[in-house]
Amino acid sequence: MDKGSLYLIPVPLAEDAAKASYTYLHQDVINSIQEYVVENEKTARKFLKEAGLKRPQSELIIHDYGKHQREKVDYQKLFASALQGKDIGLMSEAGCPAIADPGSEVVAEAHKRGIRVIPMVGPNSILLSLMASGFNGQQFSFYGYLPIDKGARTKKIKDLEQHSQREKATQIFIETPFRNNQLLTDLLKSCKPQTQLCIACNITGSDEYIATKTLAKWKDEKIDLHKKPCIFLLYAG
């Protein structure tokens, strides 16, 4: 018996960005799949409805892969249908599954079982911000969250700046939304005036904000990033 496939299904990054986040292929795939692995069931069900799901949601089989369930997952049970020939879908809470997302563990387990993995086109805040930054898209690194400790964070920022200058590479990182303003303050204090910083905020949302300036110019800006999803990109090349 042929095995099913694991489809990696992206979901919108912003509340009002559904139509900009899926294609006709999404509609075809979600209407052929009955079983999903999701990080947030509410987010997943909402997206499926917006993307054109025709099947009654009561018929769906949802596997919870949220942070409180992850360590308890029985992967043999999770992939039972796929091993019997049925396709299943993996969805993140926002954006593309497995990119800065714990879904990568599900993908790794699928490969171990010889299950085909099919990534679908969709919004990814890291790549969208890099595209819009004007920075080097040939050499770049994503670091996730910087250290919380102030001393360690300052050292990391300076290390990233030096690496960017030495390698002509774009440095990309994020912060918990309620600490965005503090991170910006630390960047302004730690980086050289001529180093460039791009801030990409609420990408694909109605209030999307993306701007690239030198640190010297950012010091003259009054911007409030509190509780807004942001990507920070540093370039000193």
Side-chain angles (χ1 to χ4, degrees), residues 142 144-149 153 173-184 186 225 228-232:
F142 175 67
Y145 295 94
L146 300 190
I148 295 176
D149 177 78
R153 172 179 289 198
F173 44 92
I174 56 176
E175 180 53 282
T176 302
F178 66 84
R179 288 201 293 261
N180 280 335
N181 286 336
Q182 183 58 53
L183 175 56
L184 178 56
D186 291 341
L225 304 174
K228 297 177 182 178
C230 292
I231 301 286
F232 296 86

Side-chain angles (χ1 to χ4, degrees), residues 8 13 40 44 46 89 139 147 151 162 165 175 187:
L8 310 186
L13 293 168
N40 184 311
K46 179 182 177 183
Q139 290 181 284
Q162 290 171 7
Q165 186 172 23
E175 180 53 282
L187 288 166

Side-chain angles (χ1 to χ4, degrees), residues 213-230:
K213 307 174 191 290
T214 63
L215 269 295
K217 290 186 177 180
W218 276 116
K219 287 183 178 180
D220 297 328
E221 291 285 332
K222 292 184 178 179
I223 181 173
D224 184 8
L225 304 174
H226 188 56
K227 292 187 177 180
K228 297 177 182 178
C230 292

Side-chain angles (χ1 to χ4, degrees), residues 115-131:
I115 295 169
R116 183 186 176 192
V117 176
I118 303 177
M120 298 183 68
V121 171
N124 177 269
S125 59
I126 300 168
L127 293 181
L128 290 174
S129 62
L130 178 59
M131 289 164 60

